[in-house]
Amino acid sequence: MTQKTSASRRHVRQGSEFSLPYTTVDVVIFTVLDNALQVLLVQRPVGAGEPYPGCWALPGGFVDVAADATLEDCARRKLLEKTGVKSPYLEQLGSWGSATRDPRGWSATHVSFALISAQNGVLIRGANAAEVAWFEVDAVTQNRGLAFDHDDILEAAVERLRSKVEYTSLPAFLLPEPFTLPQLQRAYEIVLGRPVDKSGFRTRMLAAGFLKEAGYVAGESNRPALGYRLVDRHAPVVFPRTFSPRGGN
Amino acid sequence: MTQKTSASRRHVRQGSEFSLPYTTVDVVIFTVLDNALQVLLVQRPVGAGEPYPGCWALPGGFVDVAADATLEDCARRKLLEKTGVKSPYLEQLGSWGSATRDPRGWSATHVSFALISAQNGVLIRGANAAEVAWFEVDAVTQNRGLAFDHDDILEAAVERLRSKVEYTSLPAFLLPEPFTLPQLQRAYEIVLGRPVDKSGFRTRMLAAGFLKEAGYVAGESNRPALGYRLVDRHAPVVFPRTFSPRGGN
DNA sequence: GGAATAGTGTCTATTAGACAGTATAGA
DNA sequence: TCTATACTGTCTAATAGACACTATTCC
């Protein structure tokens, strides 16, 4: 930790001298691409005093007190800057804060995760000259080479996503509309990492009532499939049971 | 907002002038007491410049960069100060951060919720001369008179608790060990606000495997009941289905 | 017609929920 | 013996999972 930086953060509050932690926001952005669950990473700058120069990291950064009215605004701003996506599914994941997670001093980050479809003109690069790219989640979590504590954060995000996919309609947010039930099923299978029975899957999805028909969609296979859109693009539906094969959770 | 205070937070970082948000931690502490779900509140101080003087609020406050190594340490410290409980069940709830939630300036709070049993010498008052008391959750959420945005935070905490109680063993953390299955069932019913069938309840609890027998517990009723302790006091068990009466979610 | 994928029907083991019944204590 | 509570047994409707079957398109 740089003592100089830390000292410069001292200031007066309520008559005593306090040091304020840094406040940052990070976003774990998921999509399904090339039959795999992928995460968006950005390369850290290499300027003087920059921590983890050249390392890949989750997109994020300091809260801009002047520009951001709320934490969620800040997260959506960073998401828009990196992906161009305006209103994806966004859910708070948690907080990571400690004296040692950032070499510049005590910092706390507010982490959300976002689900977007890969088709929507994603990957705006060059805005601030930062490299941006999709990475397969499994490869990244294996290597554990991300900046800061982002490996831990990504691991927590993947765990949360996988567990919620067992009993919610979350994977629908990973697809561009309209999508077909076979496409949705593939999204489930990719995130869960195991096959899902077609008949039960279709029954469950249609019974949950979160899909509305949107005409037949030709292409990609022989027989056209019925397309669907989400009734509500803001919140997933919760199923009363988890997906689980006979005889055990 | 006090401009003087806000100005005093400006400082140099990376060559430009930034203003740092305040970083706070709040804890929603639940227990079951007098056949009701209750939450611990503290009364705000009335000193000069104190926001919401005399108002009831969730226990919490600024992160102490010198004393707290991590956000969780900070939450556990505040919890210990108010209740004397050393290692309760503690779960991150989320973050609330905006320019306007604290009149002193941009602030972000990291909120956890804790489940404790009311019997363990709870309610240490006078340490910092702050008033501390249990309040029935339903009454507090009706009145909506808490300081800051704590009504919103409490509402979110109750919603999270109620929804997780449908499919986890969380209410077990609200009871002192050893507890009986009828006591545990009552805890479920109090949090859920509806009766639960005894037979199905017992089957589910015992099948989940998170309880170990701890001898018969006399008292409070005619026939003594078998007491149980938790196998793991750190994490709840997740059931494969929710509690739900026939024919509806 | 063949291949490939979309979509449906059917059977069965499992089980949650409902509720009646039994067991064990105190008074 | 009566009452209150702890605990168990039984029945049944609902359904998830498994898998076979039909339908519709392209080639």
Side-chain angles (χ1 to χ4, degrees):
Chain A
M1 181 198 300
T2 313
Q3 273 308 109
K4 176 166 54 70
T5 311
S6 164
S8 76
R9 280 193 289 154
R10 294 193 166 279
H11 75 289
V12 174
R13 187 183 64 214
Q14 294 172 200
S16 359
E17 206 170 63
F18 275 86
S19 203
L20 288 183
Y22 291 116
T23 301
T24 64
V25 163
D26 291 304
V27 188
V28 185
I29 306 171
F30 289 114
T31 198
V32 162
L33 194 60
D34 300 335
N35 281 323
L37 181 65
Q38 310 226 8
V39 62
L40 191 77
L41 298 178
V42 302
Q43 211 162 6
R44 299 280 312 162
V46 291
E50 287 287 351
Y52 298 95
C55 264
W56 291 96
L58 298 171
F62 295 102
V63 168
D64 185 342
V65 167
D68 302 314
T70 68
L71 284 174
E72 184 176 336
D73 285 350
C74 181
R76 290 196 182 276
R77 176 174 61 83
K78 290 174 192 304
L79 211 142
L80 183 66
E81 285 172 5
K82 302 299 181 204
T83 67
V85 175
K86 51 288 141 219
S87 76
Y89 175 75
L90 192 66
E91 172 178 327
Q92 276 201 13
L93 177 64
S95 300
W96 277 257
S98 76
T100 56
R101 61 177 295 277
D102 188 319
R104 292 167 294 191
W106 223 109
S107 84
T109 188
H110 303 259
V111 184
S112 300
F113 76 89
L115 306 181
I116 68 177
S117 69
Q119 279 81 345
N120 298 350
V122 160
L123 285 207
I124 314 281
R125 61 176 69 193
N128 45 7
E131 278 293 338
V132 180
W134 290 112
F135 289 82
E136 289 198 14
V137 161
D138 290 337
V140 177
T141 50
Q142 291 277 317
N143 290 353
R144 293 190 66 85
L146 297 185
F148 306 105
D149 49 4
H150 288 189
D151 284 308
D152 296 335
I153 294 174
L154 176 60
E155 195 176 315
V158 172
E159 188 182 328
R160 169 90 136 253
L161 176 63
R162 291 227 163 97
S163 84
K164 288 194 81 163
V165 165
E166 295 279 356
Y167 61 92
T168 68
S169 63
L170 276 185
F173 295 109
L174 295 166
L175 299 174
E177 291 181 327
F179 54 82
T180 68
L181 283 179
Q183 287 170 337
L184 184 58
Q185 184 179 347
R186 255 164 257 139
Y188 270 89
E189 292 173 335
I190 287 167
V191 178
L192 291 176
R194 60 177 151 85
V196 169
D197 179 76
K198 180 172 47 169
S199 176
F201 179 82
R202 298 175 67 92
T203 306
R204 168 177 288 208
M205 293 301 134
L206 294 175
F210 67 102
L211 298 172
K212 58 182 176 210
E213 298 187 3
Y216 278 89
V217 177
E220 84 169 60
S221 87
N222 291 326
R223 174 173 170 179
L226 193 48
Y228 293 89
R229 293 180 182 277
L230 292 178
V231 171
D232 176 9
R233 280 206 69 81
H234 299 299
V237 161
V238 177
F239 308 132
R241 307 194 191 180
T242 59
F243 281 106
S244 45
R246 277 280 155 71
N249 181 7
Chain B
M1 180 196 299
T2 313
Q3 273 306 107
K4 175 166 55 72
T5 312
S6 164
S8 76
R9 282 192 289 153
R10 295 194 165 278
H11 76 289
V12 175
R13 187 182 65 211
Q14 295 171 198
S16 358
E17 206 170 64
F18 277 86
S19 203
L20 287 183
Y22 291 116
T23 301
T24 65
V25 163
D26 291 304
V27 189
V28 186
I29 307 171
F30 289 115
T31 198
V32 163
L33 194 60
D34 299 334
N35 282 323
L37 181 65
Q38 312 227 6
V39 62
L40 191 78
L41 298 178
V42 301
Q43 211 163 7
R44 299 281 311 162
V46 289
E50 288 287 350
Y52 299 95
C55 264
W56 290 96
L58 297 170
F62 295 103
V63 169
D64 184 342
V65 167
D68 301 315
T70 68
L71 284 175
E72 185 177 334
D73 285 350
C74 181
R76 290 194 182 276
R77 174 173 63 82
K78 290 175 191 304
L79 211 140
L80 183 65
E81 287 172 4
K82 302 299 180 205
T83 67
V85 174
K86 50 291 142 216
S87 76
Y89 175 75
L90 193 66
E91 172 177 327
Q92 277 201 12
L93 176 64
S95 300
W96 277 256
S98 76
T100 56
R101 62 178 295 276
D102 188 320
R104 292 167 293 190
W106 223 109
S107 83
T109 188
H110 302 261
V111 184
S112 300
F113 74 89
L115 306 181
I116 68 177
S117 68
Q119 280 79 347
N120 297 350
V122 157
L123 285 208
I124 313 282
R125 60 176 70 191
N128 45 6
E131 278 293 338
V132 180
W134 289 113
F135 288 82
E136 288 198 14
V137 161
D138 289 338
V140 177
T141 52
Q142 292 277 318
N143 291 351
R144 292 190 67 85
L146 298 185
F148 305 106
D149 49 3
H150 288 188
D151 284 308
D152 296 334
I153 294 174
L154 176 61
E155 194 176 317
V158 173
E159 187 181 329
R160 169 88 137 254
L161 176 63
R162 290 228 163 95
S163 84
K164 287 193 81 162
V165 165
E166 295 278 357
Y167 60 94
T168 67
S169 64
L170 276 184
F173 295 109
L174 295 166
L175 300 174
E177 291 180 328
F179 52 82
T180 68
L181 283 179
Q183 287 171 336
L184 183 59
Q185 185 179 347
R186 256 164 257 140
Y188 270 89
E189 292 174 335
I190 287 167
V191 178
L192 290 176
R194 61 177 152 85
V196 169
D197 180 77
K198 181 170 47 170
S199 175
F201 179 82
R202 299 175 65 93
T203 306
R204 167 177 287 208
M205 293 301 135
L206 294 175
F210 67 101
L211 297 173
K212 57 182 178 214
E213 297 187 4
Y216 278 89
V217 178
E220 82 171 63
S221 87
N222 291 326
R223 175 173 170 180
L226 193 47
Y228 293 90
R229 292 179 182 277
L230 292 177
V231 171
D232 177 8
R233 280 205 68 83
H234 299 300
V237 162
V238 177
F239 308 131
R241 306 194 192 178
T242 59
F243 281 104
S244 44
R246 274 280 155 72
N249 180 14

